[in-house]
Amino acid sequence: MEERESIIGSKSFTAVAVNCASKAGEWIKSRIGRFAEPDLKYSMHDLVTEVDKGSERLIRNLIGTHFPTHSFLGEEGVEPGPDASALALERVSDAEYLWIVDPIDGTTNYVHGFPFFSVSIALAYRGQVIVGVVYDPSRDELFVAEKGKGAYVHGKPMSVSREATLRQSLVATGLPADHEFALPKNLKQIEALAPRVRNLRVAGSAALHMAYVAAGRLSGFWEIGLNSWDLAAGALLIQEAGGVVSDQSGEPYQLGVRHVLASNGRIHEELKEALAQV
Ligand code: IPD
Ligand code: CA
Ligand code: CA
């Protein structure tokens, strides 16, 4: 326990995560509108640019310089599709320290110049996220959490919102690139939720949506078919800001969760039940 506490208490993991996210974010921003035609990954809705790949390289190299023995799971190092993602996570499940990175979350927005995308970096110790950083270069907003030490934006403590019912809630979701299974299900859930909440938002970066739940700007967020790199950092932000993250059946968050349900805690049950009716 003592060893674990000293690991969690280490400033250097967080400092490196923050440094990586801000360096990558600045670089991404400097390349807006200056990259070759994007490639398609899993489907025509799933894009990747040379900037995604460059950002991941930059982060991987920086982390490797500081912590050469740590394991690394980055989106661009994994074949597209849900099976390959699950397998990649399985392969690193024994890692002591595992960095989980989405070098640009919201690539479609990035490609179109819609300023809602982020860099997401998490560090897990034996499968438990201990550091989470989400950086929004467009607004220069850095969201940081350390396990047991709270969540911060621009150095100010964050806490989740106080809405107690769906009727009062602003809730976000995503439109998944997987149009076989994930999208149809999510669309049905949108249909079910829209009349019951104050309003819905679909802004195109799961990691930033999660950070917004932590910051109390959204009451909740759900999506079908996400990957560990979309969620790991944001999950810690929300938990440290007093919220709840689970899968859609209410099982507590762990790295393998794909169908996420995140909220301020107060609306969690109601949101879970509303989604389960679909
Ligand atoms: C995507 C974004 C989007 C979500 C998709 C994700 P990417 O990540 O988070 O908001 O709806 O399901 O795949 O591909 O831009 O890293
Ligand atoms: Ca992503
Ligand atoms: Ca990405």
Side-chain angles (χ1 to χ4, degrees):
M1 189 62 194
E2 229 171 62
E3 188 206 5
R4 196 175 138 75
E5 271 168 9
S6 71
I7 288 160
I8 289 165
S10 164
K11 280 280 164 274
S12 63
F13 295 151
T14 306
V16 169
V18 164
N19 188 23
C20 286
S22 55
K23 281 220 164 76
E26 281 314 305
W27 182 72
I28 289 166
K29 206 167 131 180
S30 75
R31 297 290 307 269
I32 288 177
R34 294 173 47 224
F35 46 83
E37 195 56 24
D39 290 329
L40 302 183
K41 289 170 86 182
Y42 188 59
S43 72
M44 64 171 276
H45 310 280
D46 194 7
L47 307 179
V48 63
T49 69
E50 66 209 45
V51 187
D52 296 72
K53 292 175 189 164
S55 171
E56 181 158 317
R57 234 177 358 252
L58 185 157
I59 296 167
R60 184 195 272 265
N61 287 344
L62 259 175
I63 289 172
T65 306
H66 288 282
F67 306 115
T69 60
H70 289 190
S71 301
F72 186 93
L73 176 64
E75 178 177 17
E76 305 314 332
V78 176
E79 290 296 310
D83 294 346
S85 308
L87 189 66
L89 184 62
E90 169 80 40
R91 285 211 178 106
V92 286
S93 60
D94 287 343
E96 187 182 28
Y97 287 101
L98 173 65
W99 292 84
I100 304 165
V101 171
D102 192 336
I104 303 181
D105 185 57
T107 298
T108 306
N109 285 346
Y110 183 71
V111 166
H112 288 265
F114 183 94
F116 196 85
F117 49 85
S118 58
V119 178
S120 176
I121 300 179
L123 173 64
Y125 173 71
R126 298 197 190 285
Q128 294 266 337
V129 183
I130 56 169
V131 175
V133 174
V134 174
Y135 181 52
D136 168 2
S138 310
R139 275 168 214 76
D140 188 26
E141 282 197 314
L142 186 75
F143 302 87
V144 185
E146 259 183 79
K147 192 166 174 64
K149 300 218 163 155
Y152 299 83
V153 56
H154 269 311
K156 287 201 194 122
M158 290 195 287
S159 53
V160 292
S161 66
R162 311 259 324 141
E163 297 82 46
T165 62
L166 284 185
R167 281 169 64 84
Q168 303 163 307
S169 290
L170 185 63
V171 178
T173 186
L175 298 175
D178 165 16
H179 284 206
E180 296 289 311
F181 166 73
L183 182 71
K185 176 126 201 232
N186 230 43
L187 286 176
K188 287 207 181 92
Q189 292 183 320
I190 289 174
E191 217 179 338
L193 256 288
R196 299 189 51 178
V197 294
R198 179 166 285 162
N199 217 323
L200 290 177
R201 295 289 178 263
V202 186
S205 165
L208 210 44
H209 280 138
M210 297 278 283
Y212 275 30
V213 174
R217 299 171 187 175
L218 288 168
S219 328
F221 169 71
W222 90 90
E223 191 171 335
I224 298 281
L226 288 171
N227 292 302
S228 55
W229 46 80
D230 301 307
L231 294 173
L236 186 65
L237 289 172
I238 293 175
Q239 288 162 345
E240 289 296 321
V244 175
V245 187
S246 69
D247 70 8
Q248 290 190 9
S249 52
E251 289 298 311
Y253 171 78
Q254 39 84 17
L255 292 180
V257 165
R258 303 181 58 82
H259 311 327
V260 75
L261 175 54
S263 80
N264 64 4
R266 294 176 150 218
I267 61 160
H268 210 79
E269 247 343 271
E270 200 189 348
L271 186 54
K272 188 186 98 183
E273 273 160 28
L275 293 173
Q277 280 163 17
V278 170

